[in-house]
């Protein structure tokens, strides 16, 4: 493999150089940098590069670096990507320190505007953090302060104020000073706002600001509009237009779409990506399943692939290492200035002088601890840190795979191998076309051009398929299988129909000739996170009960289901024919689940999409649970947060089940227990619902393949005994090319404790990666990790991209 | 941020006396036949208001003597916007009022505030006009009512002056001023009029804000303008229009828990489109950075 040298500018202004393989992914370089920085809470950060048009872009960790930079300039910068709204919730000081460095630059460059006093205050904390207590015998402190850059228009008066405030911080530790710095900075109105130039519909220059709470619209410095994430139904771009579809307010009947013009399509796409990422990071519990489904579609299939804030916070809470010692910036900058960089004149603005202009005699380590340690101790410490880091990331060990029974089966049982062709996938589509009964007034667009619809639905199907099919409500019901089946089918139909309408609508607005624009448009439906992922446990056990019907079609991913051997005696492997049927069916289930995951608001959306009407009594009750009530009379609440924080729905909340317009079919026919479970489902999975509207004909060709292995197991679950959930846990870890989601549930069933571990391993890699080997590896690891457990099911879904994507 | 602290802490109030030309509009003294105001009553009401601020609330009062040449100078709220230790001297819409700022500027300097001027003659802010009665500062952000007297340029100058804060522009309907339809009623409370126009503005504010506020709705528009001050020993004081001026709104104010309500008459100023808050500029000299 050819190696290239990457240069990464770090936040303290230093350069980090490392070699990577020419075909390495962004992630690889990013992890290298984080390792160098000793940073664990890395999800708030990212790497940027300058594109051919000198625009700063985020390096996509999941894609090859080479394809992104599109030049031979392997020059990057390490930056904060998501500004945590409350930095005090970060676990480690080192993370806060890096955030401080970013903010210092933001402030000094004017990107983060602040008033005179705030500049002075932030500057004083910076001094305290970087050089420690003010020394009264320090000669001419003002001279030294004036050599640092704190503000874009720094003057003597400000420097005096900085000094005055700095004197008052005596005794504050560097970490405390950083914390104070962040407490002040986070309240600035432009904190964490990523600004993009745009024009409104009338061609007036505006700025669009993307932040944790939503999208802000500025004209000059004035805020003229704001769209909180919960108010946004859809984000899309097409060519150089950027659109957001807004949820109707209390007095409006229909959703509206607001369009903005960006400079060019690249700018529109960049803005769209930032929106998708910020929404995912701050609003979702887990990222939407990456849209592998969209291999078959046009437009960007980009989704945020990292951990969300909720996930990173959970992961950070597990960090258990001694606080890493690190050097605060000053010394490095000084050494650079000693390297021959001339002292920069006071008037020089920008970072340069901040980096170079430090006086050598102020070289002070803020972490005095370091000095007391011997070199050896430091090294030992570093080693233990990297150890910790490894275990934190749970990177799979790289021992060569040993053939075991499962692998042998994998390579030698054609009966269970089949190609997942589009025809198979599109089975439910025919149902969708015929079933018009559940949603009245389904508009015709679905039928305007049959071929297109078919394509759309196929895409939709596949897009559904990769969703974790964790839930099967019908499973635990005592109802006859056939009845279940029917119900399920009905639901599928409903869903399909909604989907078709969703899909087809945009198509109507467009000419079919839009193939060539594939690159230039994409959509994203922001969904609201409702609760933390481990609340999905109640469904988990139901899923187990109908385990053999479950299919995990997540593409390119392996799933290993291991369950406690003692409680699950053997079961005969199903004949291939059967499996195949099951698979198709389970797809439907997936749809069903998807549907259920729809929380009330999304249902509303679907409903609106299909009916364009708010008079439907089904819709009105929906409003209440969404927490979108607006002030009316007397003492009311004008509450941005109320609007944004949806109340988690309570299990079995009656109004809810009645209100749910789409999946209620099953609601009514299920026992109350199931009903409550279902509500929970819609809560937990709302975040993962992908409803991807496509308007285009596919140009990216993919090959998909699904292999299913079913362990012999006795169906001990068919008795419908729900079991008592003891504990549940979801762990996500990622290494360079795999993401492993481990879901562990412990249930108590008739005195037997059952532990079920579900691993979902997503292997993203180019064709070089031997997926079979990766699978073998995964199974082996699963077995090694849990020697007392047996593997009951393995589903391999492989999707190979044939055409070069974006 | 250095300047972020809950709304309501003030140490000083700056007021300007009622001149004998009260009721005459600046610049067009002869055309003012349509409104008849009672000068003596206005001065009595002014005395009551300043008395309440000094004796009940405990603020230090700085009174700028009236100037008969400046018949509207008692509406001192219009000529400066003060936040923290910065005072932005505004540029009132009427040219005749623009000389009102001189005396106020002096007082601001004497109070050791950082005085920021608004240059409406040249540069980016040419033509900018801004009046304090179109500005609602909530302690966390500014709302600027775009009205007949305050334009977007003026709002931009405000935003440029107070950079720590979000400055949002909101529409104000029916020729009203923002402070006619709403005012602060507590660190976290905005008092709002119930009129349709006010509701429109409220909806826009709700859309624009990142923060949470309680909204106290009052049935009479006149009642929506109050003065809230967190006084000595953390007591909440609210100066509001008395029952004989706004009979239906008194009950709304009584919903405010543990407030000291100070009914303050304002009928004469009200005839000229002004209200309680028009009379004073509130300053906090004990402003701390941390």
């Amino acid at each position: 493999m050819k190696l290239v040298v990457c240069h990464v500018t770090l936040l303290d202004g230093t350069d980090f150089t490392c070699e990577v393989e020419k075909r390495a992914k962004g992630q690889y370089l990013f992890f290298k940098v984080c390792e160098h920085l000793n940073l664990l809470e890395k999800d708030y950060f990212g790497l940027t590069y300058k594109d051919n048009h000198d625009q700063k872009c985020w390096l996509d960790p999941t894609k090859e670096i080479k394809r992104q930079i599109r030049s031979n300039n392997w020059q990057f910068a390490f930056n904060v990507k998501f500004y945590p709204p409350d930095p005090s919730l970060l676990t480690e000081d080192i993370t806060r320190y890096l955030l401080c460095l970013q903010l210092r630059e933001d402030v000094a460059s004017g990107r983060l505007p602040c008033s005179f006093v705030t500049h002075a205050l932030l500057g004083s904390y910076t001094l305290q953090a970087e050089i420690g207590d003010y020394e009264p015998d320090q000669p001419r402190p003002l001279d030294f302060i004036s050599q640092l850059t704190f503000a874009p228009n720094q003057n003597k008066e400000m420097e005096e104020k900085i000094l005055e405030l700095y004197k008052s911080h005596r005794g504050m530790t560097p970490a405390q000073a950083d914390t104070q710095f962040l407490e002040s900075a986070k309240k600035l109105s432009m904190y964490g706002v990523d600004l993009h130039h745009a024009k409104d519909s009338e061609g007036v220059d505006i700025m669009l600001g993307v932040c944790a709470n939503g999208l802000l619209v500025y004209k000059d410095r004035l805020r003229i509009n704001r769209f909180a994430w919960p108010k946004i139904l859809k984000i899309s771009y097409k060519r150089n237009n950027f659109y957001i579809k807004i949820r109707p307010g209390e007095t409006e009947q229909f959703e509206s779409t607001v369009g903005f013009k960006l400079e060019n399509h690249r700018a529109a796409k960049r803005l769209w990506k930032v929106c998708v990422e910020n929404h995912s990071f701050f609003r979702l519990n887990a990222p939407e399943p990456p849209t592998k489904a969209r291999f078959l579609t046009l437009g960007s299939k980009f989704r945020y692939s990292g951990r969300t804030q909720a996930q990173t916070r959970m992961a950070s809470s597990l960090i258990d290492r001694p606080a890493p010692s690190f050097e605060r910036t000053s010394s490095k900058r000084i050494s650079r200035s000693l390297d021959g960089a001339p002292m920069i004149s006071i008037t020089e603005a920008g970072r340069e002088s901040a980096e170079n202009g430090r006086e050598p005699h102020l070289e002070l380590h803020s972490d005095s601890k370091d000095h007391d340690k011997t070199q050896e101790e430091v090294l030992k410490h570093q080693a233990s840190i990297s150890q910790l880091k490894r275990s934190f990331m749970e990177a799979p060990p790289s021992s060569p795979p040993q053939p075991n029974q499962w692998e042998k089966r994998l390579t030698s049982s054609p009966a269970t191998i089949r190609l997942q062709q589009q025809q198979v996938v599109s089975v439910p589509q025919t149902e969708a076309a015929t079933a018009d009964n559940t949603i009245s007034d389904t508009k015709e667009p679905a039928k305007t051009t049959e071929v297109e619809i078919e394509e759309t639905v196929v895409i939709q199907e596949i897009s559904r398929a990769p969703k974790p099919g964790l839930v099967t409500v019908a499973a635990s019901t005592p109802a006859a299988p056939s009845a279940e089946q029917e119900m399920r089918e009905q639901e599928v139909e409903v869903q399909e129909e909604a989907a078709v309408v969703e899909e087809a609508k945009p198509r109507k607005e467009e000419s079919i000739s839009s193939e060539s624009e594939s690159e230039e448009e994409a959509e994203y439906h922001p969904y609201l996170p409702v609760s933390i992922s481990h609340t999905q446990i109640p469904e988990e056990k139901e899923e187990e009960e109908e385990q053999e019907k479950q299919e995990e079609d997540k593409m390119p991913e392996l799933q290993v289901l291991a369950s406690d051997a003692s409680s699950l005696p053997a079961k005969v492997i199903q004949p291939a024919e059967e499996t195949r049927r099951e698979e198709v069916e389970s797809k439907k289930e997936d749809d069903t689940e998807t549907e259920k995951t729809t929380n009330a608001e999304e249902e509303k959306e679907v409903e609106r999409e299909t009916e364009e009407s708010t008079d439907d009594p089904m819709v009105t009750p929906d409003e209440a649970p969404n927490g979108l009530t607006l002030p009316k009379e007397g003492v009311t609440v004008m509450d941005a947060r109320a609007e944004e924080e949806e109340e988690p729905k309570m299990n079995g909340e009656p109004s809810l089940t009645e209100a749910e317009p789409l999946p209620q079919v099953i609601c009514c026919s299920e026992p109350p227990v199931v009903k409550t479970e279902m509500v929970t489902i819609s809560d937990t999975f709302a975040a993962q619902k992908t409803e991807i509207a496509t308007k285009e004909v596919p140009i990216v060709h993919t090959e998909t393949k699904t292999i299913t292995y079913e362990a012999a197991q006795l169906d001990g679950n068919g008795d419908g005994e729900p079991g008592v959930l003891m504990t549940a846990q979801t762990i996500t870890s990622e290494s360079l090319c795999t993401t492993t989601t481990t879901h562990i549930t412990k249930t108590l069933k008739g005195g037997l404790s059952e532990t079920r571990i579900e691993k979902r391993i997503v292997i993203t890699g180019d064709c070089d990666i031997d997926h079979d080997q990766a699978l073998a590896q995964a199974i082996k690891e699963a077995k090694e990790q849990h020697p007392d457990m047996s593997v009951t099911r393995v589903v391999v879904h492989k999707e190979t991209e044939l055409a070069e994507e974006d | 941020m250095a300047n972020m602290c809950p709304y309501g802490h003030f140490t000083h109030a700056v007021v300007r006396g009622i001149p004998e030309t009260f009721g005459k509009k600046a610049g067009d003294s002869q055309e003012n036949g349509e409104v008849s105001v009672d000068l003596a009553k206005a001065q009595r009401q002014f005395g009551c208001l300043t008395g309440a601020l000094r004796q009940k609330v405990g603020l230090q009062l700085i009174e700028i003597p009236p100037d008969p040449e400046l018949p509207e100078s008692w509406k001192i709220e219009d000529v400066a916007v003060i936040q923290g230790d910065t005072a932005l001297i505004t540029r009132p819409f009427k040219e005749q009022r623009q000389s009102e700022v001189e005396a106020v500027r002096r007082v601001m300097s004497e109070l050791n505030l950082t005085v920021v001027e608004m240059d409406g003659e040249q540069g980016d802010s040419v033509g900018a006009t801004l009046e304090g009665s179109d500005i609602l500062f909530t302690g966390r952000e500014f709302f600027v009512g775009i009205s007949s007297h305050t334009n977007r340029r003026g709002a931009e100058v405000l935003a440029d002056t107070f950079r720590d804060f979000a400055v949002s522009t909101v529409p104000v309907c029916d020729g009203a001023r923002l402070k006619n339809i709403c005012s602060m009623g507590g660190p976290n409370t905005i008092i709002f009029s119930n009129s349709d126009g006010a509701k429109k503005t409220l909806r826009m504010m709700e859309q624009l804000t990142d923060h949470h506020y309680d909204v106290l709705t009052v049935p009479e528009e006149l009642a929506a303008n109050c003065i809230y001050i967190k006084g000595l020993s953390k007591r909440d004081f609210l100066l509001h229009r008395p029952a004989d001026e706004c009979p239906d709104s008194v009950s709304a104010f009584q919903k405010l828990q543990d407030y000291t309500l100070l009914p303050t008459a304002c009928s004469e100023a009200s005839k000229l489109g002004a209200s309680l808050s028009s009379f004073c500029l509130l300053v906090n000299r004990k402003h701390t950075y941390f």
Side-chain angles (χ1 to χ4, degrees), chain B residues 11-272:
Chain B
T11 54
H12 293 67
V14 183
V15 296
R16 190 160 196 177
I18 309 259
E20 57 262 42
T21 48
F22 178 76
K24 298 198 172 62
K25 285 185 183 163
D28 47 14
S29 44
Q30 63 272 56
E31 294 172 32
N32 198 37
E34 70 268 21
V35 200
S36 73
V37 286
D38 181 338
L39 172 66
K41 196 174 173 189
Q43 285 172 328
R44 264 200 314 281
Q45 288 176 342
F46 175 77
C48 288
L49 175 96
T50 53
L53 289 174
R54 186 170 44 218
Q55 282 154 13
K56 302 266 177 45
V57 184
L59 297 184
Q60 291 198 45
L61 204 75
I62 298 164
E63 186 170 342
I64 302 173
D67 183 346
E69 295 297 306
L70 302 168
E72 295 188 67
S73 58
W74 53 274
K75 291 196 276 184
I76 195 170
E77 179 187 36
D78 280 334
V79 296
V81 181
I82 302 163
Q83 190 286 316
D85 56 8
T86 304
L88 171 66
I89 305 297
T90 68
R91 190 160 175 272
F93 173 69
K94 283 192 215 163
E95 249 184 275
Q96 295 81 0
R97 290 197 66 189
Q98 285 170 10
S99 43
E100 290 177 19
V101 302
E102 284 154 23
V104 175
R105 182 186 295 128
R106 270 198 305 278
V107 173
M108 296 295 117
S109 301
E110 281 162 24
L111 282 167
N112 273 326
L113 295 172
T114 307
V115 175
V116 178
E117 301 287 342
M118 199 169 143
D119 188 356
E121 307 296 326
Q122 53 183 332
D124 285 345
S125 51
V126 63
T129 61
L130 184 72
E131 294 188 6
S133 48
D134 281 313
I135 294 157
L136 181 73
F137 177 62
T138 69
R140 298 171 211 181
E141 63 191 314
F142 285 93
F143 292 102
V144 181
I146 299 301
S147 73
S148 49
H149 292 65
T150 296
N151 58 23
R152 206 166 279 282
R153 283 262 163 86
E156 279 165 25
V157 176
L158 181 87
D160 209 30
T161 307
F162 302 106
R163 293 177 172 214
D164 292 351
F165 298 93
V167 177
S168 304
T169 53
V170 292
V172 186
C173 306
D174 313 325
R177 319 295 299 275
L178 185 60
K179 278 288 193 73
N180 289 152
I181 56 167
C182 65
S183 62
M184 291 307 284
N188 226 356
T189 306
I190 304 178
I191 300 171
F192 240 98
S193 147
N194 203 19
S195 69
D196 287 343
K199 279 183 189 160
K200 252 182 218 164
T201 306
L202 174 62
R203 265 200 299 278
M204 198 57 201
M205 284 167 64
E206 283 170 331
Q207 166 132 0
L208 285 161
T209 187
D210 295 323
H211 302 285
H212 158 97
Y213 302 103
D214 294 330
V215 177
L216 178 72
T217 317
V218 289
E220 287 134 320
E221 179 147 305
L222 294 178
N225 183 290
C226 299
I227 300 173
Y228 168 82
I229 296 156
K230 191 99 169 168
L232 298 167
S233 58
K234 304 262 177 230
R235 272 168 71 193
D236 299 301
F237 291 95
L238 189 76
L239 279 74
H240 64 89
R241 304 294 287 271
D244 57 327
E245 291 179 16
C246 296
D248 300 332
S249 300
V250 175
S251 60
F253 296 127
Q254 279 157 359
K255 286 184 205 158
L256 296 164
Q257 292 285 303
D258 301 323
Y259 270 52
T260 305
L261 296 177
L262 302 170
T264 310
C266 189
S267 60
E268 300 311 298
S270 198
K271 290 175 188 166
L272 301 168

Side-chain angles (χ1 to χ4, degrees), chain A residues 442-484:
Chain A
T442 311
K443 294 285 187 267
E444 281 313 291
K447 287 169 186 161
T448 42
T449 29
E450 258 179 70
V451 182
E452 286 168 12
I453 297 164
E454 184 144 21
E455 275 160 1
T456 314
V457 177
V458 167
I459 291 154
Q460 181 75 11
E461 265 311 305
I462 293 172
S463 82
R464 289 279 154 66
K467 244 165 276 134
L470 292 174
V471 196
T472 314
V473 171
S476 68
T477 60
S482 63
E484 286 174 30

Side-chain angles (χ1 to χ4, degrees), chain A residues 571-599:
Chain A
K571 201 201 88 187
V572 188
I573 298 175
Q574 292 172 340
E577 178 63 38
E578 173 81 0
T579 318
R580 197 182 147 279
R581 194 187 63 78
E582 298 280 345
E583 166 126 13
V584 173
E585 198 169 83
S586 75
K587 281 192 177 308
K588 288 189 237 156
E589 283 166 28
D590 284 349
D591 289 343
T592 314
E593 281 133 24
T594 315
E595 184 51 33
K596 279 171 227 140
T597 65
T598 317
N599 73 13

Side-chain angles (χ1 to χ4, degrees), chain A residues 11 56 79-80 83 98-127 130 148-155 158 162 178 180-193 221 333 348-354, chain B residues 1-2 163-164:
Chain A
L11 288 166
K56 200 183 88 171
N79 286 114
V80 173
Y83 290 75
L98 291 171
L99 178 60
C100 280
L101 288 181
Q102 175 74 68
L103 286 165
R104 277 166 203 162
E105 198 201 315
D106 292 347
V107 167
S109 67
R111 250 198 320 278
L112 178 58
C114 44
S115 65
F116 175 86
V117 269
T118 303
H119 272 305
L121 185 66
L122 295 178
S124 67
Y125 287 130
T126 303
L127 288 179
E130 293 190 352
L148 305 177
T149 305
F150 298 99
N153 44 4
Q154 187 171 327
N155 54 23
M158 183 180 289
I162 290 172
D178 278 350
Q180 291 299 316
F181 178 97
L182 294 174
E183 284 304 297
S184 288
K186 75 171 189 194
K187 292 179 195 152
L188 293 166
S189 81
M190 297 305 280
Y191 172 83
V193 179
R221 285 181 187 276
R333 290 185 187 166
E348 182 109 300
R351 258 205 92 149
E352 278 299 290
S353 55
Chain B
M1 169 178 42
R163 293 177 172 214
D164 292 351

Side-chain angles (χ1 to χ4, degrees), chain A residues 452-575:
Chain A
E452 286 168 12
I453 297 164
E454 184 144 21
E455 275 160 1
T456 314
V457 177
V458 167
I459 291 154
Q460 181 75 11
E461 265 311 305
I462 293 172
S463 82
R464 289 279 154 66
K467 244 165 276 134
L470 292 174
V471 196
T472 314
V473 171
S476 68
T477 60
S482 63
E484 286 174 30
Q485 201 56 45
E486 240 173 64
M487 267 183 314
R488 214 174 295 133
E489 259 168 40
Q490 205 174 351
E491 274 186 284
V492 171
E493 285 158 18
V494 174
Q495 171 59 23
E496 281 307 318
E497 202 167 274
V500 169
V501 174
E502 255 249 306
E503 306 291 287
K505 243 175 68 180
R507 180 176 284 281
K508 240 191 355 186
E509 303 155 7
E510 276 161 47
S511 64
I512 302 154
S513 66
S514 43
E515 286 164 71
S516 55
E517 295 157 11
S518 62
E519 245 287 301
E520 297 172 16
E521 66 173 67
E523 289 182 355
Y524 174 72
H525 297 247
Y527 296 116
L528 306 162
V530 189
S531 51
I532 295 291
S533 53
H534 54 245
T535 51
Q536 68 189 55
I537 280 49
E539 299 89 58
E540 186 64 16
K541 68 188 187 242
E542 290 199 356
E543 177 242 342
E544 290 158 16
E545 284 155 32
E546 213 187 34
Q547 191 194 12
E548 77 270 39
K549 287 192 179 172
Q550 283 290 326
E551 279 294 341
E552 295 292 348
D553 291 339
K554 195 133 183 167
M555 314 186 182
E557 83 169 20
L558 314 172
Q559 184 202 333
V560 181
L561 256 174
S563 52
D564 203 20
S566 59
S567 63
L568 285 176
K571 201 201 88 187
V572 188
I573 298 175
Q574 292 172 340

